[in-house]
Amino acid sequence: MKTLIKNGNVITAGDNYFADVLIEGDKVAVIGAKLTMEADRTLDAAGKLVIPGGIDPHTHMELPFGGTFASDDFRTGTIAAAHGGTTTIIDFAVQYHSESLIQAVDNWHKKAEGKTAIDYGFHLITTDLPDERVPEMRQLINEGVMSFKMFMAYPGIVMVDDAAIFRAMRMVGEHGGIIALHAENGIVIDQLIKEALAAGHTAPKHHGVTRPALMEGEATHRGIKLAELAEAPVYFVHLSETF
């Protein structure tokens, strides 16, 4: 099937111009001025933007956390995304303690299977990485899981130590992947939370007070130095302040 989009303001990664767009099947075939080829369907996009499908690289479908779950599953979340012009999501699979990395990704594929309205891929939240599991990261990279999220916060839940982060960074650095790092000092934050609760400081503002920028900066600096030593890239997520 051919679709011709006429008179639109075409937005690409590097340009912004008025043109027509011919789509054949699911691929953009031609972009040009005043296209005249035949099409099964012609749309007039005058006064509208014509943009590629968006990619949302950070979603959480059906994510369990804090005794509850994210409200969207892979069906409702991807339908909503499609209505907003997002055609690909990269969701977060979760590895639980004692679970292999391969099994973790397989489990999330089962959650998504048959439900998604758009394309999807996965990051893997990596919570348990002894030496013997490190080679599994290479297998996942070969299968298209290129990024692994690791936490310096939430001890006893998803937090990993610096040695695990360093092991992961060396592996992904060698094989073309990347570590996505949540950089906060979880041990100190837990102590501050304990003290705040003991003092009765439970107002919303104390959520921020118990997570000071100083500890965020400390963890970010530590993550950068680990990445330098591992000769690997690192991507910081969830940060409000760094340098």
Side-chain angles (χ1 to χ4, degrees):
M1 180 175 180
K2 295 183 179 181
T3 300
L4 182 61
I5 302 174
K6 301 280 291 182
N7 308 315
N9 185 358
V10 176
I11 309 296
T12 72
D15 293 299
N16 176 357
Y17 49 81
F18 289 91
D20 302 337
V21 179
L22 178 68
I23 301 169
E24 294 186 2
D26 59 357
K27 294 183 179 180
V28 174
V30 182
I31 300 176
K34 300 180 180 179
L35 299 182
T36 59
M37 56 273 292
E38 292 184 2
D40 301 290
R41 181 173 61 160
T42 300
L43 303 176
D44 184 4
K48 297 180 173 61
L49 301 178
V50 181
I51 63 174
I55 300 173
D56 189 338
H58 193 127
T59 67
H60 293 296
M61 305 299 171
E62 301 184 38
L63 179 72
F65 193 83
T68 185
F69 286 84
S71 59
D72 273 312
D73 63 14
F74 280 93
R75 180 180 178 275
T76 62
T78 58
I79 289 174
H83 278 282
T86 295
T87 57
T88 301
I89 62 169
I90 309 178
D91 203 70
F92 286 84
V94 181
Q95 177 214 19
Y96 297 108
H97 286 278
S98 77
E99 184 179 49
S100 77
L101 277 65
I102 307 300
Q103 186 60 55
V105 173
D106 286 347
N107 288 342
W108 244 256
H109 274 299
K110 290 175 183 176
K111 287 177 180 281
E113 187 176 1
K115 293 182 179 179
T116 58
I118 60 175
D119 294 331
Y120 71 92
F122 287 125
H123 313 281
L124 177 61
I125 295 176
T126 306
T127 64
D128 191 5
L129 194 69
D131 289 332
E132 59 269 23
R133 284 208 181 100
V134 174
E136 295 181 21
M137 303 183 88
R138 176 170 35 182
Q139 179 179 337
L140 288 175
I141 288 172
N142 291 338
E143 294 176 3
V145 179
M146 305 297 296
S147 46
F148 301 83
K149 185 176 181 181
M150 304 185 85
F151 286 81
M152 293 174 152
Y154 307 112
I157 305 173
V158 292
M159 179 177 164
V160 293
D161 61 26
D162 289 358
I165 294 170
F166 180 63
R167 286 194 292 272
M169 284 179 169
R170 283 200 298 192
M171 174 57 74
V172 302
E174 182 179 351
H175 295 283
I178 193 169
I179 297 299
L181 199 59
H182 179 117
E184 292 183 291
N185 191 314
I187 300 296
V188 174
I189 287 172
D190 267 16
Q191 179 63 32
L192 294 174
I193 291 172
K194 179 181 176 181
E195 293 172 1
L197 291 174
H201 295 156
T202 58
K205 69 176 183 179
H206 292 288
H207 179 86
V209 172
T210 55
R211 292 159 176 82
L214 186 64
M215 289 294 93
E216 189 176 288
E218 179 275 329
T220 303
H221 180 265
R222 185 158 33 103
I224 290 170
K225 293 306 176 184
L226 288 170
E228 287 179 351
L229 183 61
E231 298 182 349
V234 61
Y235 172 68
F236 291 97
V237 297
H238 300 161
L239 295 186
S240 57
E241 294 182 43
T242 47
F243 301 102

